[in-house]
Amino acid sequence: AIYVLTAAAAAGNAVFGVLALRWWERHQEGPLLLLWGAALVGLCALLIYFGGGFRSDYYLLYFLVISFVAATLEHPAQALLFVLLVVVYGVAVCAVPIHPFAGNLVLRMGILAGAEVLGWYLAAALRAEAMSRAVVQAESELKNVLAIEANHRIKNNLQLVADLLSYEAAKPRASLPDVVDVTLGRVQAVAAVHALLSARDNGQVRTRVVLERVLGLLAERAGSGMPVRARVEGTCPDLDPQRGTWLAIAVNELATNAMVHGFRGGGGHLTLCLEEGTDCRVALTDDGVGCAGAVEGLGLSLVRRLVTEGLRGTFQLRSDGPGTTAEIVFPATAPPLGPARTPRPETVGRPA
């Protein structure tokens, strides 16, 4: 009987292992492992019964079953099989006509229970260690990704600053103070975006806060000699860093043009209206002298290129009398056809 059970167990275990692979692909592994563990407990009980009960050494197989259950199952399935193992062993021993001393049986069942506790403890410790290593590895991978992203962002920002300097220096009769002053505002717009980006963990830029900071920096730079009052109305959805940078530079350029050409040193009011929807609308209005009949300069060409090529939107400039309104409309979400081509400021306004 022992040999028949051993052969049947080997064949059944092989077939069960093949079937398990297919089951695993369609179901969760928990029920399968529970069924497999119960089958092993029952098999060992049969071997113990036919092997002579308490005198049989087949109970040693239970230590292998305990290791299997501890390593593959979790509470409460693990506790269920552990209890079942001890109970079934006692039943298999008592079912044999020759009964052992009660003290010996209790002692052996206590040894099995102790092995179960030890197996549970070791398995829990190994799982905790594996989970700790997985967390450390995930944090390491995240830091690596952040380092790569930071390096990419810094490289792009340095290139952008270099392009802005080259663009401004290429203007006819450009002087060093003018180049530094104009470029400073654009660089501050970029810095405002990334200062807010570093304070958030979702990779998005709060558009209204960035634009408020851009206008505030311009008003501070103007000083008391050109009193400028700027306010922001409405809301706009958060943007990714790239599009937030383009929008900040465009608004900085429009506000600078309004202060230089619209107010002409006399000061005034700037109102930035934000509207969100399928398309975002950003409109900057000033109460200056207007720009009717004026020729579009390199600054507005830069804005138009940032909007059309970067934000994939439209740009309009209206001035029917005193005051000017510059309107930018762009999709609230990035176009799904792929990333927009980064506009290069050094090529704006130059002949092809």
Side-chain angles (χ1 to χ4, degrees):
I2 297 296
Y3 296 112
V4 173
L5 282 174
T6 304
N13 204 38
V15 173
F16 199 57
V18 174
L19 295 178
L21 295 177
R22 299 181 181 178
W23 175 289
W24 223 306
E25 295 175 353
R26 300 190 302 270
H27 304 80
Q28 294 182 350
E29 65 273 15
L32 172 65
L33 294 176
L34 179 61
L35 179 61
W36 202 331
L40 292 176
V41 170
L43 172 64
C44 291
L46 291 175
L47 290 174
I48 291 170
Y49 174 76
F50 288 106
F54 186 80
R55 295 178 302 174
S56 172
D57 291 333
Y58 286 112
Y59 80 95
L60 296 174
L61 294 174
Y62 272 138
F63 292 101
L64 298 178
V65 177
I66 290 172
S67 301
F68 172 78
V69 173
T72 58
L73 292 177
E74 296 182 359
H75 186 80
Q78 186 183 87
L80 177 63
L81 277 185
F82 279 162
V83 172
L84 180 65
L85 185 148
V86 176
V87 172
V88 168
Y89 173 74
V91 172
V93 170
C94 294
V96 177
I98 302 177
H99 300 293
F101 292 108
N104 291 339
L105 177 60
V106 171
L107 177 61
R108 186 167 290 182
M109 293 176 67
I111 293 174
L112 290 175
E116 290 175 344
V117 173
L118 180 60
W120 165 80
Y121 177 79
L122 292 177
L126 290 175
R127 288 194 184 96
E129 178 67 18
M131 186 174 296
S132 176
R133 290 184 179 181
V135 171
V136 171
Q137 183 178 359
E139 291 178 351
S140 177
E141 292 176 354
L142 177 60
K143 290 179 180 180
N144 184 50
V145 171
L146 292 177
I148 295 175
E149 171 64 19
N151 177 67
H152 178 70
R153 189 178 299 163
I154 292 172
K155 180 182 69 175
N156 286 348
N157 287 343
L158 291 176
Q159 182 62 52
L160 179 60
V161 171
D163 291 343
L164 291 174
L165 288 170
S166 300
Y167 164 67
E168 195 63 32
K171 288 183 178 180
R173 297 181 300 277
S175 63
L176 180 60
D178 292 338
V179 171
V180 173
D181 184 66
V182 174
T183 306
L184 179 61
R186 295 168 181 163
V187 174
Q188 285 179 333
V190 177
V193 172
H194 292 281
L196 291 177
L197 181 63
S198 62
R200 306 193 73 187
D201 57 0
N202 63 351
Q204 296 292 103
V205 176
R206 290 178 293 178
T207 306
R208 171 165 177 154
V209 178
V210 168
L211 299 182
E212 286 177 341
R213 184 168 296 187
V214 168
L215 294 182
L217 289 171
L218 285 175
E220 290 178 4
R221 287 179 56 217
S224 58
M226 184 189 298
V228 176
R229 295 182 179 179
R231 72 175 189 271
V232 180
E233 301 176 349
T235 59
C236 193
D238 295 349
L239 299 176
D240 60 83
Q242 188 177 55
R243 298 204 304 160
T245 300
W246 291 335
L247 181 61
I249 294 176
V251 171
N252 174 84
E253 195 68 29
L254 293 174
T256 302
N257 283 347
M259 294 167 59
V260 174
H261 304 292
F263 300 156
R264 295 184 178 177
H269 295 80
L270 289 173
T271 302
L272 186 66
C273 296
L274 308 177
E275 295 182 9
E276 61 178 337
T278 305
D279 289 332
C280 296
R281 178 178 176 271
V282 179
L284 181 67
T285 302
D286 66 72
D287 58 355
V289 298
C291 64
V295 179
E296 182 175 296
L298 295 179
L300 291 181
S301 297
L302 171 62
V303 173
R304 191 176 299 280
R305 191 150 192 166
L306 288 170
V307 173
T308 57
E309 295 185 10
L311 298 174
R312 302 285 179 86
T314 59
F315 170 67
Q316 291 183 350
L317 192 67
R318 299 190 301 272
S319 180
D320 299 330
T324 303
T325 298
E327 182 181 79
I328 298 173
V329 179
F330 61 93
T333 57
L337 298 179
R341 182 170 61 90
T342 302
R344 299 297 298 274
E346 74 273 17
T347 63
V348 175
R350 297 186 184 180

